[in-house]
Amino acid sequence: MELRRVVVTGLGTVNPLGNSIEEYWDNLKNGVSGAAPITKFDCSKHTTQFACEVKGFDATLYMERKDARKYDLYTQYAFASTHQAIADSGLDLEKIDKDRAGVIWGAGIGGLQTFFEEVKAYREERPRFSPFFIPKMIANIAGGLLSIKYGFRGPNYTTVTACASASHAIIEAFNKIRLGYADVMITGGSEAAVNEAGVAGFNSMRAISTRNDDPKTASRPFDKDRDGFVIGEGSGALILEDYESAVKRGAKIYAEVAGGGMSADAFHMTAPDPDGGGAILVMKGAVKDAGLKLEDVDYINVHGTSTPLGDIAEPNAILKTFGGHAYNISISSTKSMTGHLLGAAGAVEGIASILALKYGTIPPTINHFTDDPEIDGKMDFTFNKAKQRAIKVALSNTFGFGGHNATLAFKKF
């Protein structure tokens, strides 16, 4: 069976650095932090009182007000980023075969705010649950509603693999086109867990930073004094198309999706494998799937969450995977700016990787102050300032609780 080539023709995002691709990229390349004191709820009793919130979001730009009331915020974010991506792609929705157009979406948690509000209201205010509770909360509803909105009747499901959810969704959408099951796919991921339950839950795990005195410097991947990730929220959407169809219609092409790797640590519920077994397997798998050589890789947008264990395990896995070539690879953790978007991370960071390819710019890893002696300082982490570099191949790593690993491989078009 001859595999078809797959390209990216549309992008959209809502995230802590901006509510459009242009605003996101401008802030990303300039090293702007999206972290600030929490405004969404009274966080005075929480250990952590800051996050990377989406700012100035207006759902009614993308849907009717009555619909917005029926949708959890994670679904609203999905609609916003997908609306942008469809417009950006230039697709004529009246001319495509909607039986061969689908939606594969990613969400790590889904409607956490809806769940929290409904349970609280049931206990304190009213003796019944809203009839919208279940359809508003479930993690698959964003993808389902997107297929309804655009009339896409092809493959439609949701991947739920914690922080790897969106990357798994993109790999699945890529394969549906590559194997001939679809011609056009909406894919990506969304999350909206900056709420009392999300912040309190991660606080209890001691997973997130407590650097309340200076939130903008709290997410500091690979820095010796890192103390956990900064929780973020938002969405990223990509339009994937069959290469020949995209060229035939004269589409703008951002990059080629070359391959994807998937693996499991099979080690621990939340901690990464310190030997990097799963991370090595997934990066090698993505490169092999793309028909590339390890030395072809120029840039890796790493998982890099700013956690004590993870930020040691991932660079070590890169060294074991690429050997001496690891020192020729530019690396950056854009979570230093966006925070950790959980189920949306793979999409928003995948978009960063695509834009890095397009513009020949490596986004920085900001907030580096002190070298960690346990991390090889000869590796190029692009600390604190973006740099120009021609990039032909970029990888994007996402690793999730449960040991779920996904790596995307993009090629310059």
Side-chain angles (χ1 to χ4, degrees):
M1 180 186 215
E2 185 176 351
L3 299 178
R4 300 197 297 174
R5 294 173 67 187
V6 180
V7 292
V8 181
T9 60
L11 299 173
T13 191
V14 169
N15 71 64
L17 297 188
N19 295 337
S20 69
I21 290 294
E22 294 74 19
E23 189 179 7
Y24 172 47
W25 178 243
D26 188 57
N27 284 323
L28 198 68
K29 68 184 180 182
N30 287 306
V32 176
S33 171
I38 290 171
T39 64
K40 290 180 176 290
F41 62 94
D42 178 4
C43 59
S44 57
K45 62 184 178 182
H46 292 272
T47 307
T48 295
Q49 299 177 0
F50 62 93
C52 285
E53 297 178 329
V54 170
K55 303 158 187 73
F57 177 70
D58 182 358
T60 61
L61 294 174
Y62 308 101
M63 64 193 73
E64 296 294 326
R65 191 174 300 276
K66 63 180 177 61
D67 290 327
R69 289 196 293 267
K70 299 176 187 175
Y71 301 161
D72 187 89
L73 189 57
Y74 100 98
T75 299
Q76 295 178 21
Y77 288 160
F79 266 60
S81 60
T82 300
H83 176 93
Q84 295 174 25
I86 290 283
D88 185 42
S89 73
L91 274 172
D92 186 338
L93 298 180
E94 299 304 315
K95 291 184 178 179
I96 65 173
D97 182 353
K98 293 184 178 179
D99 290 349
R100 294 185 55 79
V103 183
I104 300 180
W105 202 251
I109 303 174
L112 184 61
Q113 181 64 25
T114 294
F115 183 87
F116 180 78
E117 289 176 349
E118 281 294 316
V119 171
K120 184 179 179 182
Y122 176 73
R123 287 177 62 89
E124 299 176 1
E125 300 171 16
R126 50 183 163 81
R128 66 180 183 86
F129 280 80
S130 164
F132 291 108
F133 170 52
I134 297 298
K136 191 175 178 181
M137 175 199 70
I138 51 180
N140 70 300
I141 202 66
L145 289 171
L146 286 170
S147 73
I148 293 168
K149 177 176 175 61
Y150 294 105
F152 285 12
R153 294 182 292 269
N156 178 230
Y157 55 91
T158 297
T159 56
V160 182
T161 49
C163 310
S165 298
S167 291
H168 276 134
I170 295 167
I171 292 170
E172 289 293 293
F174 159 65
N175 280 323
K176 288 292 181 287
I177 297 174
R178 182 164 65 159
L179 295 171
Y181 295 105
D183 301 321
V184 178
M185 295 294 295
I186 295 169
T187 189
S190 56
E191 203 80 275
V194 180
N195 51 51
E196 288 189 67
V199 173
F202 284 116
N203 261 154
S204 295
M205 295 177 64
R206 298 182 179 180
I208 56 177
S209 173
T210 58
R211 208 178 299 274
N212 293 307
D213 58 326
D214 192 2
K216 290 190 180 300
T217 71
S219 183
R220 46 180 74 182
F222 313 114
D223 187 87
K224 183 177 182 295
D225 298 319
R226 64 193 180 276
D227 72 331
F229 70 82
V230 176
I231 190 170
E233 61 175 357
S235 179
L238 297 81
I239 304 302
L240 305 189
E241 288 188 61
D242 164 56
Y243 164 76
E244 291 186 4
S245 300
V247 170
K248 185 176 180 180
R249 73 175 183 87
K252 169 182 61 183
I253 295 175
Y254 281 98
E256 182 172 354
V257 187
M262 296 183 278
S263 76
D265 278 358
F267 174 74
H268 188 271
M269 186 184 295
T270 56
D273 178 357
D275 293 328
I280 295 165
L281 190 63
V282 76
M283 287 186 282
K284 285 185 175 179
V287 172
K288 182 179 180 181
D289 188 52
L292 299 168
K293 300 175 183 176
L294 292 171
E295 54 266 31
D296 292 329
V297 176
D298 303 306
Y299 170 57
I300 304 177
N301 188 299
V302 292
H303 187 57
T305 55
S306 185
T307 54
L309 296 177
D311 284 10
I312 293 173
E314 189 173 10
N316 287 341
I318 291 171
L319 284 166
K320 290 177 181 177
T321 301
F322 294 94
H325 180 62
Y327 299 111
N328 300 322
I329 298 173
S330 292
I331 292 167
S332 64
S333 170
T334 48
K335 287 184 179 74
S336 61
M337 295 172 277
T338 65
H340 193 350
L341 275 62
L342 309 177
V348 174
E349 292 160 20
I351 290 170
S353 304
I354 290 165
L355 296 175
L357 276 170
K358 179 177 173 62
Y359 295 113
T361 302
I362 308 293
T365 303
I366 68 168
N367 298 328
H368 183 76
F369 306 103
T370 308
D371 291 342
D372 185 336
E374 294 191 66
I375 297 173
D376 192 330
K378 293 184 292 183
M379 298 176 74
D380 176 13
F381 290 99
T382 323
F383 284 133
N384 297 323
K385 187 178 181 180
K387 72 175 185 180
Q388 298 300 119
R389 174 178 175 174
I391 313 166
K392 293 183 179 179
V393 175
L395 302 184
S396 181
N397 286 344
T398 47
F399 309 145
F401 283 176
H404 307 294
N405 304 312
T407 297
L408 294 159
F410 299 104
K411 285 170 59 177
K412 187 174 179 65
F413 183 77

